[in-house]
Amino acid sequence: MPNGVHYLDTKSAQIYQSSSDQLYFFKVFIGNQTIEVEEGDCIYYFDDVLEYAHLKKGKCSINSLHCATLIRGYMPPEASISLKGVTVLPYINGCSTKQLFPPIRQGDPTLQYLYMPPNSSEQAHHIHSTARVVLVLRGKGQSIVGLDKHAHTEELYKGKVCILEPMCPHHFETPFDEPLVVVPLHIFSSIPQSEQNHPMYNGTYRI
């Protein structure tokens, strides 16, 4: 597996913690876990049947069956939102997106929803300046990470979690006859939403 990416499966309980040299501290809890969130932190997580996304700030305790990401030192308003409904913002190559929890200020974290139709790519090969935590909600696809002959392909399926470290070259594809729906958490974003100026575009750099 190439450097800069971590693939996890929600069928087993695991914890990923950002390294000390990253600008933003976060911790990802995979699988069935009870999580204590300290005052001053917040956590993004999903209900048991993957119908709602939740954002809650500490001090609190939550139970998560899928993927929960704790962010240190960020205290947004608490919120819940349905994962159902259509995408409303255009993206690359026929893909589309919507913002589940938009950034409150420039640079704040944001939870996005990305729909990729069959036989598409969500971008050219690119990097992000900060980490992404991506939960596969449904469908099937591939994650391509690395450069040229050193690139590695990993299958994406429901329940797979892909954690991309900053500056990791990658893109997702759907070379199968079914769409792929992923929910990426941007640890750092850019600006709120407009037709072609939203967090799925911003903070992405083609290479």
Side-chain angles (χ1 to χ4, degrees), residues 14-157:
Q14 302 169 74
I15 297 176
Y16 170 86
Q17 180 172 305
S18 59
S19 61
S20 59
D21 58 356
Q22 292 196 29
L23 289 175
Y24 303 89
F25 177 87
F26 65 97
K27 188 181 288 188
V28 184
F29 299 84
I30 308 297
N32 190 356
Q33 309 232 22
T34 298
I35 307 156
E36 302 297 328
V37 184
E38 296 298 324
E39 187 173 4
D41 299 342
C42 73
I43 194 159
Y44 294 78
Y45 66 103
F46 305 91
D47 70 329
D48 292 353
V49 293
L50 292 175
E51 290 187 353
Y52 284 86
H54 302 287
L55 173 55
K56 196 170 181 64
K57 59 185 178 181
K59 189 173 185 177
C60 67
S61 177
I62 67 117
N63 296 314
S64 172
L65 289 182
H66 307 288
C67 175
T69 302
L70 181 149
I71 298 181
R72 175 69 43 82
Y74 182 53
M75 292 283 285
E78 295 184 352
S80 297
I81 191 167
S82 173
L83 295 171
K84 297 180 180 179
V86 299
T87 49
V88 296
L89 295 170
Y91 195 46
I92 301 293
N93 299 336
C95 303
S96 54
T97 183
K98 61 182 175 180
Q99 299 193 64
L100 298 174
F101 299 128
I104 298 171
R105 300 169 303 180
Q106 184 170 332
D108 283 346
T110 177
L111 185 66
Q112 302 286 311
Y113 177 108
L114 175 62
Y115 172 82
M116 296 178 57
N119 306 302
S120 68
S121 171
E122 50 90 34
Q123 264 281 12
H125 220 52
H126 61 279
I127 59 174
H128 303 298
S129 56
T130 53
R132 301 288 189 269
V133 179
V134 184
L135 170 66
V136 179
L137 204 58
R138 61 178 180 270
K140 186 178 179 183
Q142 293 180 339
S143 169
I144 294 89
V145 173
L147 294 172
D148 299 327
K149 63 181 181 180
H150 301 291
H152 172 83
T153 299
E154 181 85 8
E155 297 297 313
L156 297 177
Y157 50 83

